[in-house]
Amino acid sequence: MAVGEKITISVIKADIGGWPGHSRVHPQLVETAEEVLSKAVEEGTIIDFYVATCGDDLQLIMTHKKGVDSPEVHGLAWKAFEEATKVAKELGLYGAGQDLLKDAFSGNVRGMGPGVAEMEITLRKSEPVVTFHMDKTEPGAFNLPIFRMFADPFNTAGLVIDPKMHMGFRFEVWDILEHKRVILNSPEELYDLLALIGAKSRYVIKRVYPKPGHPIPENEPVAVVSTEKLYEVAGEYVGKDDPVAIVRAQSGLPALGEVLEPFAFPHLVSGWMRGSHNGPIMPVPMHQANPTRFDGPPRVVALGWQISPEGKLVGPVDLFDDPAFDYTRQKALEITEYMRRHGPFEPHRLPLEEMEYTTLPGVLKRLTDRFEPIE
Ligand SMILES: O=C(COP(=O)(O)O)[C@@H](O)[C@H](O)[C@H](O)COP(=O)(O)O
Ligand SMILES: [Mg+2]
Ligand SMILES: [Mg+2]
Ligand SMILES: [Mg+2]
């Protein structure tokens, strides 16, 4: 493994039990996942790993040489989740095995419950990477920050003043209802891009690519987001699709501070209590990523890494563990208070079409027969 060689970074996550309720991950689950992944390092399946947590979600960050969608690496993640689920059951944790929606592993964890963000990249001389981990929200929560990192000159000064970034980036947007995708160029198609991704419950940014002429090959993602929909797999409400993302930084990409800057604004995201409410996303260090108030407010953790020439994960640096984000946290709490005062009313509660993916239809169904025509 050396600079110029391909390496894959995989972040695979699942909620396999909360402690208590849906608030955080018990340390024994982390230890169990670490044991499984340590063995895989010894056996050569992966190069390095770190087990992180955000709320009740267990997050496996791994480097390896097997490419994206590797059955071996996905199988390993599944095994780590299964082993940790056994411990969650022994401890009587809440919702043990919540996101493991299939009984037997069949080659890829996608479509089985866990969320996945992976990228195969050609290792640069120095490779700074940020992994983002969210709880109590959904993949569309990344639309605004990823857009701002790679397309908004008011966020990313490099788009204006760095010749390597001035041509902009390409955005791969998924229609997660119709299962279609489109690639849009920024800045040329900025308004088309915004027309889609502003509707964040349906159109989500899946990947960002450089344009031809950039030092990074045009087919290599520079950002990737997990977009799995639990509802589609389970056919019923089983919690939110708490997403993860991987973003590369520096040298012709947004600088570390430009990657973090969008999170200085605690924008409103869907999720929070019962996956049914709009609320602000609060950037926090990992030890504060334990949603409590009304099962929230939604959290985002940013872990900073340098990838060594051997493919090791040098880190993590808990990037929101910084007073520079205190103001944002305070603002998020003010918004939390304001939104909560609406109780069960929109726009705190999600609009009806989004409530379809919650437990509300079960309640509404009981009233169906009592409706009678007017006139
Ligand atoms: O959104 C939530 C959980 O989401 P998550 O597991 O983090 O995906 C919670 O607010 C739960 O929906 C809420 O605590 C009710 O949980 P149940 O009692 O139905 O399990
Ligand atoms: Mg949960
Ligand atoms: Mg969760
Ligand atoms: Mg969840």
Side-chain angles (χ1 to χ4, degrees):
M1 185 77 239
V3 169
E5 281 184 38
K6 296 242 187 208
I7 187 174
T8 304
I9 308 166
S10 300
V11 182
I12 305 184
K13 48 91 24 188
D15 176 346
I16 45 157
W19 174 58
H22 293 274
S23 65
R24 67 170 76 184
V25 175
H26 191 284
Q28 281 189 37
L29 305 193
V30 175
E31 283 160 27
T32 307
E34 283 171 346
E35 279 162 25
V36 173
L37 297 189
S38 297
K39 207 151 162 264
V41 171
E42 280 165 29
E43 288 164 357
T45 311
I46 53 175
I47 300 170
D48 201 5
F49 73 87
Y50 183 81
V51 180
T53 62
C54 183
D56 59 359
D57 288 84
L58 185 69
Q59 326 249 333
L60 315 178
I61 305 160
M62 299 171 281
T63 53
H64 55 91
K65 298 277 292 168
K66 320 256 178 217
V68 300
D69 285 332
S70 153
E72 234 183 310
V73 173
H74 282 228
L76 172 65
W78 188 259
K79 188 171 166 214
F81 293 141
E82 275 188 333
E83 292 300 316
T85 297
K86 282 185 204 158
V87 177
K89 285 185 176 157
E90 276 163 29
L91 294 173
L93 299 184
Y94 191 70
Q98 179 180 294
D99 286 354
L100 305 189
L101 301 178
K102 298 276 156 90
D103 293 331
F105 177 71
S106 59
N108 194 305
V109 293
R110 282 190 290 112
M112 300 185 74
V116 186
E118 295 185 290
M119 52 163 75
E120 187 177 38
I121 60 173
T122 312
L123 207 56
R124 296 177 289 169
K125 199 166 68 194
S126 179
E127 192 64 62
V129 168
V130 181
T131 57
F132 287 100
H133 311 265
M134 290 181 173
D135 189 37
K136 302 295 179 277
T137 186
E138 60 177 17
F142 275 112
N143 278 8
L144 185 147
I146 298 276
F147 168 82
R148 297 201 66 202
M149 287 172 212
F150 289 94
D152 179 1
F154 281 75
N155 179 85
T156 298
L159 292 166
V160 179
I161 63 182
D162 181 347
K164 290 201 220 114
M165 294 177 73
H166 200 75
M167 78 272 258
F169 291 90
R170 292 179 301 137
F171 286 77
E172 179 182 327
V173 177
W174 282 18
D175 175 341
I176 54 175
L177 289 188
E178 294 275 324
H179 301 280
K180 290 181 192 160
R181 67 176 160 194
V182 60
I183 306 255
L184 291 168
N185 289 300
S186 163
E188 307 88 297
E189 298 175 299
L190 206 58
Y191 300 157
D192 295 310
L193 177 61
L194 286 168
L196 294 180
I197 65 171
K200 61 184 172 42
S201 61
R202 172 152 181 187
Y203 298 100
V204 297
I205 299 173
K206 177 67 188 174
R207 295 186 187 86
V208 180
Y209 292 97
K211 282 187 176 168
H214 193 278
I216 291 175
E218 64 185 282
N219 59 351
E220 261 184 30
V222 291
V224 62
V225 178
S226 68
T227 51
E228 283 65 35
K229 292 246 2 128
L230 284 165
Y231 180 87
E232 285 192 355
V233 184
E236 60 178 352
Y237 175 71
V238 280
K240 264 302 190 212
D241 313 308
D242 314 302
V244 288
I246 309 171
V247 178
R248 299 167 80 182
Q250 306 286 155
S251 301
L253 298 178
L256 182 72
E258 290 166 337
V259 170
L260 300 179
E261 178 64 8
F263 295 95
F265 172 55
H267 65 291
L268 293 175
V269 299
S270 306
W272 206 347
M273 174 57 77
R274 299 176 184 274
S276 307
H277 294 80
N278 282 310
I281 186 129
M282 185 158 75
V284 287
M286 213 160 66
H287 73 272
Q288 289 181 349
N290 309 304
T292 49
R293 184 167 178 194
F294 201 53
D295 286 1
R299 310 290 159 115
V300 56
V301 166
L303 301 180
W305 312 90
Q306 289 290 146
I307 313 291
S308 81
E310 289 77 38
K312 293 223 172 254
L313 286 161
V314 181
V317 177
D318 202 341
L319 293 162
F320 292 140
D321 193 3
D322 186 326
F325 286 92
D326 282 351
Y327 172 79
T328 310
R329 289 189 269 268
Q330 187 54 41
K331 184 58 76 186
L333 296 180
E334 285 163 23
I335 299 166
T336 293
E337 185 58 27
Y338 174 81
M339 296 299 282
R340 280 302 302 124
R341 296 282 72 83
H342 294 80
F345 285 81
E346 297 177 7
H348 182 27
R349 201 178 77 182
L350 297 184
L352 267 188
E353 48 300 0
E354 285 188 56
M355 294 299 287
E356 264 178 53
Y357 309 106
T358 72
T359 47
L360 182 71
V363 174
L364 296 182
K365 211 165 136 205
R366 294 199 212 148
L367 296 174
T368 325
D369 293 342
R370 294 180 51 193
F371 273 90
E372 52 191 53
I374 306 166
E375 300 288 288

